[in-house]
Amino acid sequence: MATRARVRAPELIGKGGWLNTGDQQYTLADLRGRIVVLDFWTFCCINCLHVLDELRELERKHADTVVIIGVHSPKFVHEAEHQAVVDAVERYEVHHPVLDDPELATWKQYAVRAWPTLVVIDPEGYVVAQHAGEGHAHAIEKLVEELEAEHEAKGTLRRGDGPYVPPEPVATDLRFPGKALLLPGGTFLVSDSTRHQLVELEADGETVVRRIGSGERGLGPDAFSEPQGLALLPSGKVIVADTVNHALRTYDPETGAVETVAGTGRQWMQGEPTSGPAREVSLSSPWDVAVFDGLVWIAMAGVHQLWTYDPVAGTVQVAAGTTNEGLVDGPAAEAWFAQPSGLAATEDRLWIADSETSALRWIDRDRVVHTAVGTGLFDFGHRDGAAEQALLQHPLGVTALPDGSVAVSDTYNHALRRFDPASGEVTTLATDLREPSAAVVVGDDVVVVESARHRLTRLRLPEEAVRVESVAHRTQRAATEVAAGALRLDVVFQAPKGQKLDTRYGPSTRLLVSSTPPELLLDGEGQGTDLARALTLNPEVTEGVLHVSAMAASCDDDPENEYPACHVHQQDWGVPVRLTEGGADRLPLVLAGLDA
């Protein structure tokens, strides 16, 4: 803590004016007699969001003596827009006055150098402490208690209600949604972040089917805290990045059950374990999730890393990144990220929206990190063209497109962009979106999460993003000729030598089947525990792709070993098929066969 010198606090000025005060404008003189905590923040910054959460308890316990004032000091151009600040204050449930300072006038007056910075002002108007970074709430509370006692004795402490005036609530079905997922039945699951819920919508993207969660912050079986990323597991459950709970949850669409599978509910801090049993290792603001290479990958925005979660072994571990913030490519253990916030898996790579570097990046199966678009923490804009000179602005989402290119939710540019690895070009697919944060491909359309418009928006993909010469071109493999009607799918699995199926906790195998187009499958879609499935193919659909995801768990077969090592075997197939007379009526896929 800084020395408590008698330095008069500079005035609070900001061209954008005051929020959360009922249109009342304040000066420091109006706050005399109260302990004032200035929080210099910007809404793109994950560390700033951590501090908002840290301050909630201080606000509650010392509501009659402490006034917290957020001084919004933008980094990105978009953050200097007044409406964007208004949105962020509601989005992150900021329950104290906020001064919108787009020109950094107050930031300069207080000689602030970093986001976040906290400044404490005593009841007589003097600066008594300044802290940069997060994790200082405990120290500030101790100082507040000292100041309360000191100024109570001097008669200079003024207790009472603070200047906070909540804005009028707005009725919308979604409120700052984060991510979306297309469920096997054709409905959408959306993380309704500000309302701490998941919402299932009909295929129209508008009609509410059900809400999951009470709507109050929490970590219980009926509660979330600002959930974001969603991904479908081979089991049919959905894994949820429960961001402010610093946890991964699962949601079962069949039963409605919600379970915590990773994280302790506390934010990870330096020096804590980075691997081990998933429920015993803390996480830090997981923002998105994707299934890649047999594991659930986590965009761990809070520590600028990628982690993995193994749902069979029940473990987590760091996969890439050093916790240093920046843009450095190379082997995963040496790479630097900056608030990774969006993930999308393809067969050979995991795409990453690295928001604070305004970059599109990817990691391959050898765990080497590459950058497709972006140059660093402070280079951003909206420019199309060759990837090496193209610019994004704080993208939060990335989506794999049917032709091998990717769509980037270029959040602060209010745009949907496209990067084509084949040409190395970046183009703009759509503008006039409002803070797009994710997108989902549905047939020839892309459904965009317009977070700041509180809705899903359906757009037609341009021809070059969906045009393929044939199904084989799309999947890079020749089509398998099969007969229309009944088709038996057999996933062949033989436990490796010295191992056996792990049935201690129920079935050890999972099978998930779907198709493109969905009309290809008349029967047999969905998930189950049997590795054989009777499918029925629609004779009116001549070509398509069967998507098969299979998993089996086996353990060492050693009766002398009380704690045998266990292993998960998982594979995803996209099998192009052509329906022909005399085609095969059985489709065998080998997950694991006999040892050679």
Side-chain angles (χ1 to χ4, degrees), residues 237-309:
K237 292 182 179 180
V238 175
I239 193 153
V240 183
D242 196 3
T243 304
V244 180
N245 274 327
H246 308 293
L248 297 186
R249 322 288 296 283
T250 56
Y251 163 64
D252 189 338
E254 295 294 324
T255 66
V258 174
E259 180 184 359
T260 301
V261 295
T264 62
R266 301 183 306 277
Q267 183 186 338
W268 182 90
M269 296 296 177
Q270 288 285 355
E272 293 187 20
T274 56
S275 64
R279 291 297 310 277
E280 298 175 16
V281 178
S282 294
L283 309 181
S284 182
S285 297
W287 207 275
D288 203 4
V289 284
V291 178
F292 174 66
D293 205 16
L295 299 168
V296 175
W297 287 67
I298 311 163
M300 202 72 78
V303 286
H304 316 298
Q305 291 180 314
L306 303 181
W307 288 35
T308 58
Y309 163 62

Side-chain angles (χ1 to χ4, degrees), residues 203-214:
D204 61 9
E206 298 178 3
T207 307
V208 175
V209 177
R210 63 178 60 85
R211 296 182 181 275
I212 302 97
S214 65

Side-chain angles (χ1 to χ4, degrees), residues 446-466:
V446 62
V447 175
V448 181
V449 180
E450 273 198 276
S451 189
R453 282 203 179 106
H454 322 292
R455 70 186 189 189
L456 303 187
T457 298
R458 186 181 291 262
L459 304 171
R460 174 66 55 160
L461 281 171
E463 185 180 352
E464 64 268 20
V466 296

Side-chain angles (χ1 to χ4, degrees), residues 94-238:
V94 180
H95 291 168
H96 51 248
V98 173
L99 176 64
D100 181 10
D101 183 19
E103 297 176 345
L104 302 180
T106 297
W107 167 284
K108 294 170 186 173
Q109 288 275 60
Y110 281 81
V112 174
R113 295 289 181 268
W115 297 278
T117 291
L118 296 170
V119 175
V120 182
I121 302 171
D122 74 10
E124 294 180 288
Y126 290 93
V127 174
V128 293
Q130 182 166 321
H131 301 266
E134 56 183 291
H136 302 296
H138 179 72
I140 289 175
E141 183 173 11
K142 292 296 183 186
L143 174 57
V144 163
E145 291 169 353
E146 293 174 11
L147 292 172
E148 285 175 340
E150 175 186 340
H151 289 274
E152 189 91 77
K154 291 174 65 175
T156 51
L157 184 69
R158 177 166 58 91
R159 294 180 181 270
D161 292 335
Y164 170 65
V165 177
E168 289 293 322
V170 181
T172 54
D173 287 331
L174 302 173
R175 205 70 192 160
F176 298 103
K179 306 290 185 182
L181 175 68
L182 184 65
L183 293 175
T187 58
F188 295 97
L189 189 66
V190 183
S191 54
D192 198 18
S193 303
T194 297
R195 293 212 177 107
H196 315 298
Q197 292 180 319
L198 308 181
V199 178
E200 185 178 352
L201 301 176
E202 292 281 11
D204 61 9
E206 298 178 3
T207 307
V208 175
V209 177
R210 63 178 60 85
R211 296 182 181 275
I212 302 97
S214 65
E216 300 294 326
R217 289 181 187 271
L219 192 56
D222 192 35
F224 299 91
S225 186
E226 298 183 31
Q228 286 284 340
L230 307 166
L232 191 65
L233 295 175
S235 65
K237 292 182 179 180
V238 175

